[in-house]
Amino acid sequence: MNTEMKTAGAELLSGKEFAAAIKDDVASEVAELKKEGIEPCLVVVRVGEDPASEVYVKSKVRTAEELGIISEHRHLPEDIKHEDLLAVVEELNSRDDVDGILVQLPLPKHINEKEILETIDPDKDVDGFHPMNAGRLAQGHEALVPCTPAGIIDMLKRKGIEMKGANAVVVGRSNIVGKPMALLLLQEHATVTICHSRTKDLADVCSRADILVAAVGVTGIIREEHIKPGATVVDVGMNSIDDPETARDFFGEDELEKRLNTIEKRGSTLVGDVNAKAAKAKAGYFTPVPGGVGLLTVAMLMKNTVKAAKLRRQ
Ligand code: NDP
């Protein structure tokens, strides 16, 4: 276990490496299940033509195939009626060969997203967004847990970062990242504080964190004064910047030129909630954006699909 705080500049935690390790484990589990005649199956439902959703869904389906998980992509028209989408979910609920159902968000405005998500059978809810799974997680029972926070816990464990007794601060309290992240850290026996938009003196609270998770969606909200020397800083945020001045503030010499080139070529560059220059100088471990947490999410979706396949047959 890494119990001592690191001080000589942050070690970057590579999402690619941890995602590869998770996927290796999943591929082995799938092979074992196949020997027992069980073929895990994931169905991804996409509505409409949102370009980002298309990219995400393709990556999910491709990853499933790579790992031997049967996958189905249901692409439905933008103007599908709410009742018809409900009927698709109900049909998937009733199919015995389907272990995981994921409805890609966002859904078109005329669809009642909450009702759709609550209609998914909780035992097939591989995104872990159903209130039944949120409740199971809150009560410390076996649950399908949202992929991003579950992936972060998996990464911290693989790296041997001590959570027991650690001061953990989660900035953000959404149902898909912040709250489940805090509950998972609590399950690992961390002392957990949750911050949000009304928190007074965010820097003071964060600067006491041994483990700091930022899931806000505000570029560079976490700066030098928020980081305890040697802390583990996990950056969930995904924001884009197009201004060279912001890039100069955000990145040190090791990365600045590359980022300025990206802004010049593509008009913007992807950044997180944490000022990368500050984290690299002061943290012990740091997840970069891109190349950090984002890559864990799809890998954990596969893990959840295998988990659902097993739990449904218990
Ligand atoms: P939400 O917008 O649902 O939640 C943001 C949270 O941040 C809210 O709880 C909000 O507080 C809090 N917040 C906003 N402003 C401040 C502030 N000034 N100080 C402190 N807290 C603040 O976002 P998500 O949880 O869905 O996502 C967060 C970020 O993570 C986004 O950038 C998103 O793109 C990214 N993300 C990345 C994923 C990945 O795989 N890498 C997966 C999912 C999300 P309040 O509740 O008071 O409004």
Side-chain angles (χ1 to χ4, degrees):
M1 281 282 170
N2 293 321
T3 49
E4 284 180 18
M5 288 274 183
K6 293 176 77 267
T7 45
E11 178 180 334
L12 295 187
L13 299 176
S14 155
K16 201 172 169 186
E17 207 176 286
F18 291 104
I22 296 169
K23 287 194 272 185
D24 277 354
D25 289 353
V26 172
S28 310
E29 282 187 85
V30 171
E32 284 304 313
L33 285 173
K34 283 191 175 165
K35 282 186 202 157
E36 297 168 33
I38 300 168
E39 299 214 72
C41 169
L42 169 69
V43 180
V44 183
V45 178
R46 174 163 74 98
V47 181
E49 303 302 330
D50 178 62
S53 293
E54 186 183 356
V55 173
Y56 293 143
V57 167
K58 276 190 180 154
S59 145
K60 289 168 186 176
V61 170
R62 195 181 52 238
T63 309
E65 280 165 5
E66 273 168 26
L67 304 183
I69 294 172
I70 296 172
S71 67
E72 215 175 286
H73 175 190
R74 284 278 185 100
H75 186 196
L76 304 168
E78 178 88 27
D79 60 358
I80 187 170
K81 286 197 192 117
H82 178 70
E83 292 68 35
D84 293 342
L85 182 56
L86 271 184
V88 169
V89 172
E90 276 158 3
E91 178 228 318
L92 296 172
N93 282 344
S94 69
R95 264 175 58 186
D96 197 42
D97 64 315
V98 173
D99 296 300
I101 304 169
L102 180 150
V103 177
Q104 184 67 41
L105 302 180
L107 289 170
K109 288 201 168 47
H110 67 279
I111 304 275
N112 179 344
E113 192 170 288
K114 183 169 172 283
E115 193 181 348
I116 298 292
L117 295 182
E118 289 184 4
T119 301
I120 296 174
D121 177 347
D123 294 339
K124 298 185 178 187
D125 167 39
V126 283
D127 252 343
F129 295 165
H130 194 287
M132 181 73 88
N133 280 313
R136 286 175 182 158
L137 171 63
Q139 294 192 344
H141 300 309
E142 187 79 76
L144 291 167
V145 176
C147 300
T148 303
I152 292 168
I153 293 289
D154 189 284
M155 175 187 71
L156 296 178
K157 280 187 180 167
R158 282 178 200 264
K159 192 65 197 169
I161 290 167
E162 182 75 278
M163 290 180 265
K164 189 164 56 177
N167 276 331
V169 172
V170 180
V171 190
R173 56 174 165 181
S174 71
N175 289 331
I176 61 170
V177 190
K179 278 186 207 150
M181 186 75 249
L183 287 166
L184 287 169
L185 285 161
L186 189 62
Q187 242 172 42
E188 297 298 328
H189 311 293
T191 303
V192 184
T193 306
I194 306 176
C195 298
H196 45 77
S197 64
R198 321 289 157 78
T199 296
K200 287 181 184 153
D201 204 345
L202 186 67
D204 180 56
V205 182
C206 292
S207 65
R208 282 179 264 140
D210 304 313
I211 298 171
L212 176 60
V213 182
V216 188
V218 174
T219 301
I221 189 172
I222 303 299
R223 305 182 60 83
E224 198 265 336
E225 63 271 27
H226 296 76
I227 300 171
K228 177 175 174 177
T232 297
V233 179
V234 178
D235 193 353
V236 185
M238 290 203 296
N239 317 299
S240 99
I241 58 167
D242 53 14
D243 164 27
E245 265 326 293
T246 312
R248 282 190 188 93
D249 173 53
F250 220 91
F251 299 106
E253 280 175 11
D254 59 320
E255 219 182 332
L256 182 61
E257 202 180 316
K258 197 175 99 192
R259 296 300 192 129
L260 290 174
N261 283 339
T262 308
I263 292 178
E264 203 176 307
K265 273 193 212 140
R266 297 196 205 145
S268 65
T269 187
L270 186 67
V271 299
D273 291 341
V274 179
N275 181 287
K277 195 176 1 182
K280 282 183 185 174
K282 206 169 175 189
Y285 299 96
F286 175 49
T287 63
V289 178
V293 167
L295 300 170
L296 301 174
T297 305
V298 175
M300 284 312 286
L301 174 66
M302 303 305 139
K303 193 163 170 173
N304 270 354
T305 304
V306 168
K307 186 173 175 181
K310 286 181 175 169
L311 288 176
R312 286 181 62 232
R313 287 168 180 84
Q314 269 179 6

